[in-house]
Amino acid sequence: MSLIVQKFGGSSVADAESIMRVARRIVATRDAGNDVVVAVSAMGDTTDELVDLAHQITDSPDPREMDMLLTTGERISMALLAMAIKSLGHEARSFTGSQAGMMTDAQHGAARIVGVTPERVQEALSEGAVAIVAGFQGFNRDSRDITTLGRGGSDTTAVALAAALNADVCEIYTDVDGVFTADPRVVPMAHKIDVVTSEEMLELAAAGAKVLHIRAVEYARRHGVTLHVRSSFADKEGTIVVSARGENMEEPIITGVAGDLSEAKITVIGVPDIPGKAAEIFTIVAGTGANIDMIVQNVSVETTGLTDISFTLPKTDGQKVLAALREKQESVGFVELAYDENIGKLSVVGGGMRTNAGVSAQLFTALYDAGINIEMISTSEIRISIVTRAELLKDAMKVVHTAFGLDGDSEAVVYAGTGR
Ligand code: ASP
Ligand code: MG
């Protein structure tokens, strides 16, 4: 008998009919002789709608109340799912994050799990019931308040439960067949990847691939949880996320291509090219709490001794960083600031890059052939990212996908979801 944790995302439980379909799937796993624990997301776009609603009330909703509001989404789906399983003649019991022992720190909207004590979940299992746990939420012992793990956090709930219960596998059910070589909504010829390493998955997620919550991948890697990403709409094998490839498993040079439209670029123009200026600028940026991504410094103009420094950051941090820099313009001594929200970031990721030269050349050539201009470049051991114009990103992704030989034989199937 195995213990399987199954996570169902919002698009898999978008309406009553979908909830029944998911319930049948859970019951089938149960009937096959497994213990089943389920983590469930809010129905469809519920969380987005609740966020919109809060912003109709106020521009800056109180973080504690925001968590109270958002956690209601998962409470709806967990209760309905438990009812659905019962209607199929099986025992099921739903639990909120705090009932399931999901202990977090007090950081509303981005809480981190500090401990999992799933006694009630274990009790339910020992009584032969399926345990359904509300995704994305927890409880802080000191403040005695409900918290959320951040958008997309239900994946992390599932992995944390799988680790705490020592489950055999954590299955992440979604609206596509697994992890793809690119988002099939953007690159229709993308194909499903059978096996990916957690290292590659982390780079892909950080580069904008939305299929798995980045913290869930980190958590799974740290606790040795095997992830299986698969479709809730079809009965096919999905993608297995492993901590390392087996010895005789070939490592592809490029595993996938990711695109990201969530970043903006700030250019600090006319910075004196003397030691300490970059330190000053990025100390100011760090003080705002913004997470910067790529940095480029131009060579300085000999006659003026001035240079430009550009960096990318989440659009949501743009205004506060601009304000912080403007405040220190005089002491840093730069000439002006430019802000550009119209950028797109493309990344190629692959463990095989480590042992293969010429990947950058191949990438840049593909982009050049398509007439796509590169504005910034950054690399890690297993990733190369470039910035281009936002409106070129889709084409760039398709071109690069083809150039690296990743196109599949047929168009990928997207079963549901608005991709919102
Ligand atoms: N419902 C939450 C969200 O949409 C959590 C999740 O779906 O994982 O972000
Ligand atoms: Mg969701």
Side-chain angles (χ1 to χ4, degrees), residues 9-11 41-42 44 47-48 74 151-152:
S11 56
S41 291
T47 310
D48 290 299
E74 272 70 13
R151 297 304 308 274

Side-chain angles (χ1 to χ4, degrees), residues 381-396:
E381 252 197 320
I382 64 164
R383 175 185 50 78
I384 307 171
S385 302
I386 64 102
V387 164
T388 185
R389 291 292 88 203
E391 60 273 15
L392 297 179
L393 183 63
K394 249 186 174 181
D395 281 339

Side-chain angles (χ1 to χ4, degrees), residues 13 19-20 22-23 26-27 38 40 74-95 129-133:
V13 291
I19 290 175
M20 284 310 299
V22 164
I26 294 166
V27 164
V38 175
V40 68
E74 272 70 13
R75 240 173 124 138
I76 295 171
S77 52
M78 72 176 195
L80 292 172
L81 188 53
M83 289 177 201
I85 294 170
K86 280 170 177 278
S87 80
L88 297 173
H90 279 69
E91 264 315 304
R93 218 163 293 158
S94 67
F95 299 102
V130 174
I132 319 266
V133 178

Side-chain angles (χ1 to χ4, degrees), residues 58-115:
T58 166
D59 286 338
S60 49
D62 180 75
R64 177 187 183 275
E65 301 310 329
M66 196 65 174
D67 278 356
M68 283 302 244
L69 177 68
L70 296 189
T71 50
T72 61
E74 272 70 13
R75 240 173 124 138
I76 295 171
S77 52
M78 72 176 195
L80 292 172
L81 188 53
M83 289 177 201
I85 294 170
K86 280 170 177 278
S87 80
L88 297 173
H90 279 69
E91 264 315 304
R93 218 163 293 158
S94 67
F95 299 102
T96 64
S98 61
Q99 287 177 317
M102 202 60 65
M103 297 300 160
T104 72
D105 62 16
Q107 189 65 38
H108 285 294
R112 299 196 75 90
I113 296 168
V114 295

Side-chain angles (χ1 to χ4, degrees), residues 248-268:
N248 36 29
M249 249 158 118
E250 204 190 341
E251 189 158 55
I253 299 174
I254 299 299
T255 302
V257 181
D260 190 353
L261 287 171
S262 69
E263 295 193 343
K265 177 169 80 172
I266 290 179
T267 304
V268 190

